[in-house]
Amino acid sequence: MIRIEVVSSQAPGTKFSAPRDSVRIGRAASNDLVLTDAVVSSEHATIALAGGRYVLTDLRSTNGTAILRRGDRLRLEAHAAAALEPGDMVELGQGASAVRLAVTTSTEDEAPRMLAVRHIDDIGPVATSVEQDESRVRALYLAQKHVSAAGDLAEVVDAIADAVLELIPKATHACIVLRDDDDPSGADASAYVPIVTRARGQVPAGPIPITRSVFRKVVTERAAVVAADAQQAVGTSESLLGTAIRSTLAVPLWSKDEILGVLQLDNRETTVIFSAQDLELVAAVAHNASLAVANARLVKRLRAAEDRLKKENSFLKGREQERRTGGRDKQPIIGSSAPMKALIAQLDKVVDTRVTVLIEGETGVGKELIAAAVHYRSRRRDKLFVSQNCAAMPENLLESELFGHKKGSFTGAHEDKKGLFEIADGGTLFLDEVTEMALSLQSKLLRALQEGEIRPVGATQEKKVDVRIVAATNRNLEKEVAEGRFREDLYYRLKVFPLRVPPLRERRDDVPLLAQYFLARFSTEIGKPAAGFSQQAMELLESYQWPGNVRELQNEVQRLVIQIDTGGFVTPDLLSPRVRQIEGVVDRVRPAKGTLKEMMDHLERWLLIEALREHGNNKTTTARTLGITREGLHKKLRSLGL
């Protein structure tokens, strides 16, 4: 409560009181206390409750603000603040024309003397006296129906305020305050925020202040209260006196042990007393309204959580797709050689079918990249792409990882767990190194492929799943089947549409493209710009066999980026020794300048010598390796003088 008396000004003796926590003082009509004196600025100062004390704040006034305290004058700098003490006087402006205000503040109401109190545990069905009044029962039914039909939280509180004003004709004002979700305890009174106010037949000028004395009673004692003829019943409670409330009724809104808010009804026009029957009716509405508020808040939180999860899921899926494929709008598979063009053509034929795809290729060729392309180019792209390396887990753990398990099905199974088949439902499951799967587990995989059903470990019922399987192996499946290490029926089920990823040595034209791609990527990641590859370094990269395929090339380029100087070129001396070995071979093979026949003879001579050395000078084996007859080999040796 703030009371202000104008001691000296153009209108001395003016009194102002407000049951509120802040008052704005100035010459403009928008202020709470308007003073027309010339020394007063348009927006001069505020008095507001902060931290349990009222604080005077200067609003960059032209003529200044001061506090007169026990004979001292404490001047405030522009936009400065100071706490008020009992007996302080506020001075606006300076000199003989300064305006002086006597300020009295109160942060506490006197303990109320309530006429009716009902604990929320006792709130339930309406009293018999209400049930016998058909008009009130119908009004109560319509109020409950109106509240129940509301949707979101804003609609719910509006419906509650409208319903209780319709139900209780004596009430002139209704106010609903709700606890802030950030303070679930509700211990801090400031955590309760006015949400909606209603004044019968008019639009309220601002928030209707909740009566603190009544509010504390409702929250601390978890009870519905009635203060009949409030000015006398509650004594000198300043918030009641300031608002001229003749009678007030307040009911908590609650959920289990939590107070969600307070619904307050006031009569401020005539001396009308709210009755116990009015309390029964409002309490009955509050019982249903509490559930509506709790549900609306729960729905609000669930929708916010759903939106957040959708955004997170979209972000994570996008980041995973970017990591695996380079993004929707980029070419995910780098390569323009004939073998890669043929592979991509085959891939595009199968992406939107349901058939199982088997990807074959050596280690490091990029089988998972092709598997990801099968998924992200298909209509399943909006679902999950899940991968599992079958060689990375023992049999018992792999079964649980793929099919899930029930709580208690084995030691360590402390809770139910979904398997990758269930997680990837609607999407794609990539099984890398599928030949490493145990025979007993292969039979379960076969059933999942044939029936579209899985059974978690320890479960008694199957679950239907819609998962597309893409498998990969670096072994010869036919050989694995022949030697009894892989089920023949599973082999035929997997190898519906095989895709062979060529090794890097079969697509040397792609080496420059891949090398430049990895150079740009690692330069960005490491933060070290690179100028590119020297011609000789690139020739050595193209000449190398790359037994580790694309993965080996990637690792080689990453090491090169670490070694080079910022902005420098990759030169042959920076290459790994195994890659530079080809450099000596090229120097030895390179013929001396001469005619075409002389240079060709030089190359042929070197090749024959190397072939004979590899086979211990055995001409029969050498001829067979070179694809010529023994007589043809002798003829070439004689012609070259060997």
Side-chain angles (χ1 to χ4, degrees), residues 153-165 173-179 192-199 203-204 206-210 253 262-266 268 293 297:
L153 185 61
E155 293 178 354
V156 167
V157 293
D158 282 342
I160 295 171
D162 293 339
V164 293
L165 284 176
H173 296 77
C175 178
I176 298 175
V177 296
L178 294 181
R179 191 196 66 218
Y192 291 86
V193 181
I195 300 298
V196 64
T197 58
R198 288 286 190 276
V203 178
I208 298 174
I210 194 80
L253 303 174
V262 176
L263 166 62
Q264 176 180 301
L265 295 180
D266 301 330
R268 306 187 183 194
V293 170
R297 281 195 157 176

Side-chain angles (χ1 to χ4, degrees), residues 21 49 85 169 175 193 418 493 538 586 635:
D21 294 334
L49 184 64
E85 297 180 0
C175 178
V193 181
K418 287 185 178 182
R493 175 63 65 174
M538 184 59 75
V586 172
K635 183 177 180 181

Side-chain angles (χ1 to χ4, degrees), residues 76-155:
L76 301 183
E77 300 294 334
H79 220 63
L84 293 173
E85 297 180 0
D88 284 352
M89 187 172 291
V90 174
E91 184 178 73
L92 309 180
Q94 302 181 49
S97 59
V99 175
R100 293 183 179 179
L101 309 174
V103 179
T104 305
T105 61
S106 173
T107 58
E108 296 293 331
D109 294 324
E110 294 181 3
R113 298 188 299 275
M114 304 297 173
L115 297 186
V117 178
R118 186 171 182 182
H119 196 272
I120 59 175
D121 292 339
D122 301 326
I123 295 176
V126 296
T128 305
S129 58
V130 176
E131 293 178 346
Q132 294 174 351
D133 188 338
E134 292 185 4
S135 61
R136 304 209 78 172
V137 170
R138 177 170 176 77
L140 178 61
Y141 166 75
L142 293 175
Q144 301 280 36
K145 182 179 179 181
H146 188 41
V147 172
S148 300
D152 59 23
L153 185 61
E155 293 178 354

Side-chain angles (χ1 to χ4, degrees), residues 405-417:
H405 64 250
K406 302 296 288 184
K407 180 181 179 180
S409 57
F410 55 85
T411 302
H414 301 301
E415 57 184 13
D416 290 354
K417 176 185 176 181

Side-chain angles (χ1 to χ4, degrees), residues 53-56 67-70 74 82-90 102-105:
R53 304 179 68 183
Y54 279 95
V55 176
L56 173 67
I67 297 176
L68 304 181
R69 179 179 298 164
R70 295 184 292 275
L74 307 176
L84 293 173
E85 297 180 0
D88 284 352
M89 187 172 291
V90 174
V103 179
T104 305
T105 61

Side-chain angles (χ1 to χ4, degrees), residues 309-445:
L309 288 174
K310 283 181 178 179
K311 291 177 181 177
E312 290 176 357
N313 189 40
S314 176
F315 169 75
L316 291 174
K317 284 170 65 178
R319 189 172 67 177
E320 178 67 7
Q321 180 178 348
E322 182 76 20
R323 185 184 73 82
R324 293 182 183 275
T325 68
R328 294 176 186 267
D329 302 326
K330 301 177 182 178
Q331 175 64 25
I333 302 170
I334 298 172
S336 59
S337 61
M340 290 305 295
K341 288 181 178 179
L343 172 63
I344 294 172
Q346 288 293 97
L347 187 150
D348 288 337
K349 292 177 182 178
V350 75
V351 289
D352 279 325
T353 66
R354 294 177 58 87
V355 301
T356 303
V357 176
L358 178 66
I359 302 174
E360 299 173 305
E362 299 176 4
T363 299
V365 294
K367 296 187 289 295
E368 185 171 357
L369 184 66
I370 300 300
V374 171
H375 173 77
Y376 288 113
R377 293 186 181 207
S378 72
R379 288 188 289 266
R380 294 175 178 257
R381 67 175 65 92
D382 293 329
K383 301 296 183 179
L384 288 179
F385 174 79
V386 182
S387 65
Q388 175 60 48
N389 189 322
C390 299
M393 286 188 175
E395 176 185 353
N396 58 334
L397 293 181
L398 181 59
E399 181 180 3
S400 171
E401 190 71 14
L402 292 177
F403 303 109
H405 64 250
K406 302 296 288 184
K407 180 181 179 180
S409 57
F410 55 85
T411 302
H414 301 301
E415 57 184 13
D416 290 354
K417 176 185 176 181
K418 287 185 178 182
L420 296 182
F421 268 93
E422 198 170 350
I423 292 172
D425 192 17
T428 302
L429 175 59
F430 173 54
L431 299 176
D432 198 7
E433 306 298 345
V434 70
T435 51
E436 302 297 328
M437 189 179 292
L439 287 170
S440 59
L441 197 52
Q442 290 178 23
S443 62
K444 295 187 177 183
L445 175 60

